[in-house]
Amino acid sequence: VIVGVDIGGTKVLAGEVTADGQVGRTARRQTPGRRVPAPLVEAALTEAVLEVVAGERLEAVGLAAAGFVDVTRTRVLFAPHLPWRGDDVVARLSAAWGVPVLMDNDANCSAVAETTYGAARAAGSMVLITLGTGIGGAVVLDGRLWRGAGGMAGEFGHQQVVPGGRPCQCGRSGCWEQYCSGSALLRESRARLAASPALLAACGGDPGALTGPMVTEAAAQGDAVALAAFAEVGDWLGVGLANQVAALDPALLVVGGGVSDAGHLLLDPARAALARSLVGAEDRVVPPVVAAALGPEAGLVGAAVMVRELLQEDQSVGG
Ligand SMILES: [Zn+2]
């Protein structure tokens, strides 16, 4: 059994991934948090992996981690929701489990999954943006994932788009994800909550109880406040995508993450803003903006694809 594990800010999702990319048994755990000893997180991973393996033979594990993973794909340099800081997690887990382990950033893993099985199969180059609490990103050029010299390519969320703008958790200000993310969607919705009976009813009058799926549902029902929030976030999405296209000229733009569940409510304003903001838009091919195809399992599928490739390379080298 080859297992992929997505280690997110709030949950760990492990799944068996077959050679053709199908997800079999899955298991979930809460992510213990970043102020706990690392062995607690590793114990949660072990539990989830063993539940998926269910007594069969474990062959390898691919980990998709929400954070900066170094270019050797063994260490988490920094992750806002995890306790790992530069230690060789992969060596430790590989020794504990007795199988090859590989780790990469979660957006990179999603990009590999979308390129292998999903929305970007026919595209030689693409930029992937995942919109959750913040922004994740990944770059595929000439059919290969571009990790960057230090493994940190694709951190688009912290491109500064408004000098002196909203403060960001990264310690800087005006970052793109402060304007284009699930958090930004909630901020826009809460600011006009009083004008939306649908959102007020959904959150029971408590702005703190409002969630992204509530805003998505209200927008789908035609609620004006929710639609305006998606129009605003979608507009910022298109503006930021224009920057990525200006830099990299990819064939395709893929948008995933929970916020993208809103589909055209998000992507239509993004396409309009992209066409408006992109340099030379009248005289070039503007890349299509499409929704990711694989949903919340993309990260674990991509991690499994990568570790399967590693096994095949080892076998071809070892004979
Ligand atoms: Zn930032």
Side-chain angles (χ1 to χ4, degrees):
V1 175
I2 289 187
V3 179
V5 188
D6 191 303
I7 312 163
T10 57
K11 70 170 190 301
V12 170
L13 178 63
E16 173 191 7
V17 181
T18 64
D20 58 354
Q22 300 297 309
V23 177
R25 277 185 304 273
T26 60
R28 261 165 210 276
R29 292 291 182 281
Q30 296 272 309
T31 304
R34 85 173 157 138
R35 293 179 206 286
V36 302
L40 264 180
V41 174
E42 290 158 26
L45 296 181
T46 300
E47 276 182 29
V49 168
L50 289 179
E51 186 179 326
V52 168
V53 173
E56 291 186 49
R57 189 175 72 84
L58 179 63
E59 201 174 345
V61 181
L63 304 172
F68 292 144
V69 177
D70 80 340
V71 75
T72 67
R73 295 189 283 172
T74 59
R75 296 163 197 270
V76 172
L77 300 175
F78 172 77
H81 310 287
L82 296 168
W84 296 321
R85 294 291 179 274
D87 36 346
D88 194 342
V89 181
V90 162
R92 218 154 52 211
L93 292 175
S94 182
W97 296 338
V99 296
V101 175
L102 174 147
M103 176 164 58
D104 207 337
N105 165 270
D106 53 357
N108 282 351
C109 292
S110 295
V112 166
E114 293 291 343
T115 305
T116 312
Y117 302 114
R121 261 177 304 176
S125 60
M126 69 114 162
V127 166
L128 171 88
I129 299 289
T130 60
L131 296 182
T133 310
I135 291 180
V139 184
V140 172
L141 297 175
D142 297 334
R144 297 179 62 91
L145 185 66
W146 173 253
R147 289 196 173 78
M152 295 189 197
E155 291 298 332
F156 305 119
H158 300 285
Q159 289 175 335
Q160 193 183 46
V161 295
V162 182
R166 293 174 187 154
C168 183
Q169 286 83 350
C170 73
R172 295 162 188 81
S173 66
C175 295
W176 185 26
E177 71 175 34
Q178 293 305 315
Y179 301 85
C180 178
S181 61
S183 307
L185 184 75
L186 288 174
R187 185 193 293 114
E188 295 291 330
S189 304
R190 285 175 183 141
R192 295 184 54 211
L193 191 60
S196 168
L199 288 179
L200 276 171
C203 69
D206 174 9
L210 194 68
T211 64
M214 290 176 191
V215 181
T216 303
E217 173 64 21
Q221 303 296 324
D223 178 76
V225 170
L227 285 170
F230 271 107
E232 176 76 13
V233 169
D235 191 79
W236 273 111
L237 175 58
V239 169
L241 286 175
N243 290 339
Q244 318 322 329
V245 175
L248 298 167
D249 193 19
L252 186 68
L253 298 163
V254 179
V255 181
V259 181
S260 70
D261 291 347
H264 71 94
L265 299 176
L266 175 77
L267 299 186
D268 285 350
R271 290 172 182 130
L274 171 62
R276 186 188 74 221
S277 306
L278 179 60
V279 60
E282 317 70 40
D283 303 309
R284 68 190 290 170
V285 176
V286 179
V289 181
V290 302
L294 296 176
E297 291 171 346
L300 75 87
V301 170
V305 169
M306 281 195 256
V307 82
R308 190 180 293 278
E309 284 171 0
L310 187 73
L311 286 182
Q312 285 161 354
E313 284 166 20
D314 287 353
Q315 277 161 8
S316 64
V317 171

